[in-house]
Amino acid sequence: MRELQKTGEPGYRQRDSVEHEGYVEVHSAFHGEKNNQNGVSNLFERILSRDNLNQAYLQVVRNKGAAGVDGMTYDQLLPYLKEHREELLTQLYLGKYKPQPVLRVDIPKQDGGIRKLGIPTVIDRMLQQAINQVLQPIFEPTFSDNSFGFRPKRSAHQAIIRAKSHYEQGYKHVVDLDMKAYFDTVNHDKLMYFVEKQITDKRVLRLIRRYLLSGIMIDGIFQKSEEGTPQGGNLSPLLSNIYLNELDHLLEKRGHRFVRYADDCNIYVKSKRAGQRVMKSITKFLEMDLSLTVNREKSAVGSPLKRKFLGFCLLVTKKGVQIRPHYKAKETVKQKLRRITKRNRGRSIDRILKEIQQLMTGWINYYGIGEMKGFMKNLNGWLKRRIRQYIWKQWKNPRTKRKNLIQLGIDKRKAYEWSNTRKGYWIISGSYVLHRSLTDKELASRGYKDIALQYQSVHSNY
């Protein structure tokens, strides 16, 4: 069944869908679908309905992503479904469908650790997305207002703004909880118990359980998945929120001020002693009741002015409490820019400027909420100097340097003098001759977008 078919064009088009002309609707009497589309008793039919599967398919194609263990890419999904949809649906309705193992990929973390990412097959990504689309609205009303991760119309920015409001109200100590390998240690039986509180359709429960037990493929070797919800699956974010919703309810019951984004949870208290009591009791709950492991090396009671939360921390100024990027976030982006502009990369300046723009657009859109005008001004000046150094290196021989300097407005005598200098690249990049030739206007004409101006434009919206 998983053999790839070469039917149809591989490209993605908005009009593409799981069905084509003449297709007998998925929700047919043959498959036993009920007419009631709003109740919870027919969730399985709603998951496999034509509209829901089409929506899931389009989402998977928009997300793109790598192929899973079967090698099928997202642009091969539609041709495959046109050939095998009936067989796939029949297996699902008969309870015989078995998800493929997820492909394990290790992604280096900024702190030197490893994030274990699971890549399901595109078929399983589509089916997980279909499940998620039906279950998310059911569980959403049960979730805490203090939970912000992987939820509709909620974001990390809203989470850090909520954290700021707690500090402003006098909760100036934070219990910063770090759960060790959270996504890999979720207890399946406990998770299914929490899911069953809202879901009664045993076919849906059985399919979710099969995804949890689908296994992992590491370097071609299959391993059982007896616990955890691998990061990378379309269903994992929802399941993780269902699991930690138990923590949210406990914290609310005890009257705590807290903010949770996925497995990052900060609890705000008024004294360090109170924080230590909360740390002890919540650690006990997480480890005894939820079978998780608290990383005691990274968890601590501290100040929100220093502790990192979602890449941010707080700052007290004359204007009040402000949000700012944590110093590690600033160091990381500068290191990335340093690698991009390394002068011996041997790539065109157009490519270099495009890579800079791709990196900084995303970085500024995320961190632009923070106060960092001085940092962005300094980073902008440093980056333009790195770019001038790169261009100077590309000019290579003295003749080319002299010719280009003259074309950029430097008089012939000075152009000859500087083109033959033995000064180092970094020194030259800061010299007046390159500032007069490779001006800000000239860099802009080559494609450089001023990151300080980008930041001001984004920050002004907050």
Side-chain angles (χ1 to χ4, degrees):
M1 176 180 171
R2 290 300 174 100
E3 183 179 350
L4 300 185
Q5 303 295 317
K6 297 183 179 179
T7 305
E9 296 180 10
Y12 164 66
R13 300 182 299 277
Q14 186 66 29
R15 63 183 179 86
D16 288 341
S17 67
V18 179
E19 297 80 22
H20 58 73
E21 289 185 33
Y23 171 52
V24 179
E25 294 184 355
V26 174
H27 45 288
S28 64
F30 171 74
H31 288 127
E33 181 172 356
K34 301 175 184 178
N35 292 325
N36 178 14
Q37 292 293 305
N38 297 316
V40 294
S41 60
N42 65 331
L43 285 181
F44 199 65
E45 285 78 14
R46 289 170 58 189
I47 290 169
L48 298 185
S49 69
R50 178 180 59 186
D51 291 343
N52 191 57
L53 286 175
N54 283 341
Q55 183 181 345
Y57 160 78
L58 293 172
Q59 186 62 48
V60 168
V61 174
R62 280 192 290 268
N63 291 343
K64 298 183 179 180
V69 295
D70 62 355
M72 185 188 297
T73 58
Y74 69 90
D75 55 359
Q76 294 172 315
L77 179 57
L78 182 62
Y80 176 87
L81 291 171
K82 286 182 177 180
E83 285 290 321
H84 297 286
R85 65 180 178 277
E86 292 292 349
E87 185 180 354
L88 175 62
L89 290 170
T90 299
Q91 284 195 355
L92 285 161
Y93 274 103
L94 294 177
K96 295 182 178 181
Y97 179 77
K98 293 184 178 180
Q100 294 289 296
V102 298
L103 181 64
R104 171 60 57 83
V105 178
D106 292 339
I107 307 297
K109 296 170 69 174
Q110 294 180 3
D111 60 5
I114 297 293
R115 174 174 283 108
K116 297 177 180 179
L117 182 68
I119 305 176
T121 65
V122 288
I123 294 172
D124 286 325
R125 294 209 291 269
M126 182 187 74
L127 293 175
Q128 286 191 37
Q129 178 65 26
I131 297 171
N132 182 77
Q133 289 167 181
V134 172
L135 264 56
Q136 181 83 41
I138 295 173
F139 282 96
E140 187 63 25
T142 72
F143 291 155
S144 168
D145 183 53
N146 298 295
S147 168
F148 294 88
F150 309 124
R151 295 181 60 189
K153 299 180 181 180
R154 286 176 172 254
S155 67
H157 288 168
Q158 292 173 330
I160 193 65
I161 290 172
R162 179 71 62 83
K164 172 176 171 285
S165 70
H166 291 328
Y167 188 91
E168 290 171 332
Q169 292 168 27
Y171 296 84
K172 298 186 177 180
H173 293 79
V174 62
V175 180
D176 187 358
L177 287 166
D178 183 90
M179 289 169 243
K180 191 173 184 179
Y182 166 69
F183 285 91
D184 296 322
T185 57
V186 169
N187 183 283
H188 289 172
D189 291 334
K190 291 180 184 293
L191 172 59
M192 292 307 300
Y193 172 74
F194 300 145
V195 174
E196 288 172 15
K197 289 182 178 181
Q198 299 294 326
I199 305 301
T200 58
D201 192 324
K202 294 186 182 301
R203 297 167 298 174
V204 176
L205 297 173
R206 186 185 304 116
L207 185 56
I208 293 173
R209 172 76 77 165
R210 284 187 174 179
Y211 273 114
L212 293 175
L213 298 173
S214 61
I216 303 166
M217 195 70 73
I218 304 176
D219 296 329
I221 300 174
F222 175 81
Q223 291 187 9
K224 291 182 178 180
S225 51
E226 298 178 347
E227 61 181 6
T229 59
Q231 292 186 72
N234 298 54
L235 192 55
S236 290
L238 175 60
L239 295 179
S240 71
N241 272 335
I242 293 172
Y243 201 77
L244 287 179
N245 197 36
E246 301 300 311
L247 170 64
D248 297 344
H249 288 167
L250 176 72
L251 293 173
E252 288 177 338
K253 184 179 179 181
R254 295 183 179 180
H256 289 305
R257 304 291 184 98
F258 71 98
V259 181
R260 185 176 65 80
Y261 191 97
D263 58 328
D264 287 332
C265 184
N266 277 7
I267 307 168
Y268 296 86
V269 294
K270 291 190 173 182
S271 70
K272 187 172 183 179
R273 180 175 293 181
Q276 291 170 342
R277 289 197 303 267
V278 171
M279 173 70 78
K280 184 178 179 180
S281 64
I282 298 304
T283 296
K284 182 179 178 181
F285 171 79
L286 289 171
E287 296 187 337
M288 299 298 292
D289 292 70
L290 294 185
S291 301
L292 299 172
T293 302
V294 174
N295 190 331
R296 286 166 172 76
E297 293 181 358
K298 294 185 177 180
S299 299
V301 178
S303 170
L305 304 180
K306 297 181 180 179
R307 301 293 298 182
K308 181 176 67 171
F309 180 53
L310 303 176
F312 297 95
C313 56
L314 302 180
L315 173 70
V316 177
T317 68
K318 294 181 179 178
K319 297 180 180 180
V321 181
Q322 304 290 336
I323 298 168
R324 65 184 174 95
H326 194 268
Y327 76 90
K328 288 185 178 179
K330 297 177 181 178
E331 289 179 353
T332 299
V333 75
K334 190 169 184 178
Q335 290 172 2
K336 290 181 178 179
L337 288 171
R338 193 186 302 275
R339 286 194 294 269
I340 290 174
T341 57
K342 193 175 180 180
R343 65 174 184 258
N344 61 357
R345 289 190 69 199
R347 299 185 181 181
S348 70
I349 188 62
D350 291 342
R351 174 72 179 274
I352 296 299
L353 294 177
K354 185 176 181 180
E355 289 182 22
I356 292 172
Q357 181 62 20
Q358 289 175 340
L359 170 65
M360 294 309 298
T361 296
W363 195 88
I364 291 173
N365 284 341
Y366 183 75
Y367 288 102
I369 189 175
E371 293 291 333
M372 52 174 177
K373 184 177 179 181
F375 170 76
M376 290 305 299
K377 179 180 179 181
N378 293 335
L379 185 67
N380 190 46
W382 172 84
L383 180 57
K384 287 188 289 187
R385 184 173 177 179
R386 295 280 296 182
I387 294 169
R388 291 185 177 103
Q389 175 187 234
Y390 194 92
I391 295 173
W392 182 254
K393 175 71 164 54
Q394 279 198 325
W395 287 349
K396 294 183 179 179
N397 61 64
R399 180 179 298 178
T400 303
K401 293 175 180 177
R402 183 169 65 252
K403 176 184 175 182
N404 289 331
L405 287 174
I406 292 172
Q407 287 180 346
L408 291 170
I410 303 300
D411 67 75
K412 293 182 179 180
R413 184 176 64 82
K414 286 293 182 181
Y416 179 83
E417 177 184 339
W418 282 97
S419 64
N420 288 279
T421 183
R422 293 188 177 184
K423 292 181 178 180
Y425 291 108
W426 185 243
I427 294 176
I428 296 295
S429 67
S431 67
Y432 85 93
V433 71
L434 284 195
H435 278 264
R436 284 180 54 192
S437 54
L438 296 174
T439 61
D440 290 353
K441 185 177 180 179
E442 174 64 21
L443 294 182
S445 71
R446 291 171 180 252
Y448 178 69
K449 295 186 178 181
D450 191 291
I451 60 174
L453 294 178
Q454 285 187 70
Y455 163 70
Q456 291 175 20
S457 175
V458 170
H459 186 69
S460 63
N461 293 325
Y462 292 103

